[in-house]
Amino acid sequence: MTVRTRFAPSPTGYLHIGGARTALFCYLYARKHGGQFILRIEDTDLERSTAESVNAILEGMTWLGLDYDEGPFFQTQRFDRYNQVIDELLAKGLAYRCDCPKERLEKLRIDQMARKQKPRYDGHCRNRRVDPDRPHVIRFKNPVDGVVVVDDLIRGRVPFANEELDDLIIRRSDGAPTYNLSVVVDDLDMRITHVIRGDDHLNNTPRQINILRALGADPPHYAHVPMILGEDGTRLSKRHGAVSVIAYREMGYLPEALLNYLVRLGWSYGDRELFTLDEMIEYFDIKDVNKAPSIFNASKLTWLNQQYLQHADPARIARLLSPHLGHLGIDPSTGPELIEVVKAMAPRAKTLVELAELSAFCYRDFDSYDEASAKKHLGPEARLPLERLRAAFELMALDDWTPEQLKYTVERVAEELGLGLARVAQPLRVAIVGRAASPGIEETLRLVGKTATLRRIERALEYIASLSAG
RNA sequence: GCUCUCUUCGUCUAGUGGUCAGGACGCUGGCCUCUCACGCCGGUAACAGGGGUUCGAAUCCCCUAGAGAGCGCCA
C-alpha cells in the first residue's frame, strides 16, 4: 500500500509555525516513501473560515516549497458525502437524533463539574424518538464500554476507556457535519494511510477510531507530533511575536532556513544541523520524532538563515533582495550591479532585511555617521590620510577603479605616511560607509564608485574640520 | 475537576544498563585580520525530585512535583 499523508489546516488564520512543521513532516514522510502528500482545507466552521486564510495558507505552502500531489480539497464541497455517511449511520442505528436544549446540556455540564466529574453528554436521547422535522442534532453512538487503543507512531500505545468518551455530535442543527465526522470520512475516502498531526488531536483520536470502526473501516496509522511553544513555555501565539510563516518571509528569512529550523525541532539526525530538502527526505523518519514539546528559539533560526545566506546563489539572493531594497526606497538599477553587492554583503547579513540595510550605502549617501565609529576614526589625525587618499583617487581613471588598483592605492598611501593600514583604511571606511564595518576596503570602494567616494571623503573632511572649529 | 501526554545544559538535541553525559544555538576568552562577518581553538552550562530493581541507572519500575493538551452544535 502506498503511503498517503495529508495536511489539513482550518482556514481561520495564517499558516503558522506549528502548522508548517506538521505539513513538513507530512510532506517528508510521503516523499520518503514515494507516496502522496495531500492538502485538505478543513473549512466546516462556516463562521470562522475565510477565503483570505485559504490564500494565506496556500501562499505559505508555496513559499516553503511544500508541494502537494492532490488538493487542495475543501470540506465545504463535500457536505453531501458527509451527510450520506451520517444518514447511513442513522439507518444502521449507529447514530441518533438529539433535541436536548442547550440549557439542559449546560446544566448537565455544571452539575458534573460540581461533582468533580468530566463533563460528558449523558445519552439522554439515545433511546428516545426525536421528531426528524423538529430542530435536532445527530450524535454518534459511542461504545459504552471497552477500550480503544491508539497505536501512535510517536507516543506508542495509548489506551482510552470508552466510558471516558461520550456521544459526540456529528451533525449540527443547521445540517452541517462536524469536524470529527468529516475528518474520518475524508481520511477514509482519500485513502490516507498516515495521519500526522498536532498533539492536540490525540484526545480526539479514540473518537475517530470508533467512528471509523462503525463505518467498517480500519484506522490509519497515527502520529501525533508535539506542539511548538513560545519562549515562555506556553503555546505559541501572536503575543510571542511572529508566528505566521509569511511574516518570516517578510522579515527576510529564506524558506530553506525556516524548513531546516523546523525539521530540527523535535527531530534530529545525529549531530547534523544543516539539511537540504533532499537530505531531510532521505533521513527523516516519523518514529524519530520526540515526544516532548519544544520551544521556538528565534536566535537559532537566525543563525541558520545566516548560514544559508552565505552559501546561497548570489543571483537568487539578488532577486529576493530587490523588494527589501525597495522598502528602503532604493532602486538597485541606479547603482552597482546588485549581484556584486550581494556577493560582498550577503555573508555578513543575518536576514534579507539586514542585507538591504547593510547594502544601502552602495546606492545612496548615509544620513549620519555611526557615533562611536566617527569618534574613533574621524578625529583630527584622520585628516591627512583622507586628503592623501582623495588626491590619489582623483588621479585614478575610471577604468582603474578595480579592487587590485584600489588596494594598491590605499596601501601606498599608508606606506607613504608611515601608518599601519588600519589607520588609513578605517577612517576611509567610516567616511564612505558611515560606520566601521564593511567588506574589505577595496571591495567597498569599488562598490561605492569613484564619484561617491570622492564626495564622501569631502564630507568627512568637512566633518573633521567642523570638529576643531566647533 | 476529570482523562490523556510530556520532563537531559537558558534553548534545540545525542544517548536505549557501564560515556570525563556528546553536538548545535546563545553567551564568553583567544587566534586570524584594514573593520565587520566568516572560520579556527577554548570556556560556560543539564539527566525535575524521591524511592526502588541492579555489582552498576539519564537509560527499567513506582510515587511526587511541574508543564501541556482535551473534555463545544471550534477545528
Side-chain angles (χ1 to χ4, degrees), chain A residues 77-296:
Chain A
Q77 292 174 4
R78 290 175 43 77
F79 274 21
D80 289 350
R81 169 61 179 151
Y82 305 140
N83 280 320
Q84 177 193 342
V85 172
I86 292 168
D87 290 341
E88 229 174 86
L89 252 16
L90 219 38
K92 287 182 181 159
L94 296 168
Y96 61 92
R97 295 185 181 84
C98 165
D99 63 354
C100 288
K102 287 198 172 169
E103 302 75 61
R104 178 179 183 279
L105 267 17
E106 191 53 35
K107 184 174 184 306
L108 184 65
R109 187 168 302 138
I110 290 167
D111 290 350
Q112 286 166 329
M113 290 287 256
R115 270 179 280 138
K116 304 194 173 192
Q117 287 174 345
K118 184 182 194 170
R120 300 159 65 243
Y121 180 63
D122 61 357
H124 179 72
C125 295
R126 245 190 189 229
N127 300 305
R128 287 179 63 234
R129 284 186 52 87
V130 174
D131 184 352
D133 295 326
R134 294 182 44 97
H136 66 273
V137 299
I138 309 289
R139 287 182 185 272
F140 173 67
K141 241 183 217 175
N142 197 78
V144 288
D145 51 24
V147 171
V148 198
V149 175
V150 178
D151 207 351
D152 195 277
L153 261 18
I154 295 172
R155 307 288 156 150
R157 268 175 63 92
V158 186
F160 289 85
N162 268 322
E163 16 176 18
E164 291 297 331
L165 277 23
D166 64 356
D167 294 344
L168 72 159
I169 292 172
I170 53 177
R171 179 154 71 202
R172 303 184 181 96
S173 48
D174 65 2
T178 60
Y179 167 75
N180 280 299
L181 186 277
S182 48
V183 165
V184 163
V185 174
D186 282 346
D187 286 341
L188 196 58
D189 288 355
M190 296 174 190
R191 307 185 326 276
I192 302 301
T193 58
H194 296 259
V195 172
I196 300 170
R197 74 219 315 190
D199 213 347
D200 45 342
H201 289 288
L202 184 57
N203 286 288
N204 283 324
T205 309
R207 298 169 176 281
Q208 295 177 8
I209 290 177
N210 282 336
I211 298 177
L212 229 25
R213 292 250 166 78
L215 261 21
D218 287 326
H221 296 289
Y222 291 99
H224 288 91
V225 313
M227 316 241 74
I228 297 178
L229 276 22
E231 303 274 357
D232 59 355
T234 65
R235 192 176 176 151
L236 200 61
S237 67
K238 296 108 252 150
R239 64 192 176 78
H240 291 109
V243 287
S244 106
V245 162
I246 291 303
Y248 283 89
R249 181 182 67 186
E250 250 104 73
M251 288 188 291
Y253 287 85
L254 264 18
E256 61 267 39
L258 222 208
L259 249 18
N260 198 143
Y261 178 72
L262 257 17
V263 82
R264 280 284 288 101
L265 221 45
W267 177 81
S268 63
Y269 185 75
D271 285 342
R272 195 161 180 144
E273 295 289 348
L274 267 21
F275 298 87
T276 63
L277 196 56
D278 284 342
E279 287 167 338
M280 289 181 202
I281 292 169
E282 185 180 349
Y283 304 135
F284 183 79
D285 194 329
I286 196 73
K287 295 180 193 68
D288 297 331
V289 174
N290 279 169
K291 300 173 179 187
S294 39
I295 292 174
F296 187 84

Side-chain angles (χ1 to χ4, degrees), chain A residues 296-324:
Chain A
F296 187 84
N297 180 226
S299 67
K300 184 144 186 185
L301 202 213
T302 301
W303 173 77
L304 279 165
N305 203 55
Q306 183 174 28
Q307 294 293 313
Y308 281 99
L309 226 32
Q310 272 164 23
H311 300 109
D313 169 35
R316 173 173 168 245
I317 298 301
R319 225 164 26 244
L320 297 174
L321 181 62
S322 281
H324 289 103

Side-chain angles (χ1 to χ4, degrees), chain A residues 336 362 389-410 428 432 441-457:
Chain A
C362 300
L389 285 164
R390 176 179 58 182
F393 290 151
E394 273 170 347
L395 293 174
M396 284 175 71
L398 239 34
D399 281 350
D400 288 337
W401 200 261
T402 62
E404 298 72 31
Q405 289 296 319
L406 289 162
K407 187 172 198 302
Y408 170 76
T409 303
V410 175
L428 176 58
I432 63 176
I441 194 66
E442 67 275 16
E443 198 52 43
T444 305
L445 285 163
R446 181 178 71 119
L447 291 171
V448 171
K450 181 174 174 179
T451 311
T453 295
L454 290 173
R455 184 172 67 237
R456 293 179 195 176
I457 289 177

Side-chain angles (χ1 to χ4, degrees), chain A residues 371-387:
Chain A
E371 210 172 306
S373 302
K375 191 168 183 198
K376 186 167 180 191
H377 301 291
L378 290 186
E381 70 288 346
R383 187 177 59 83
L384 191 56
L386 286 175
E387 283 174 351

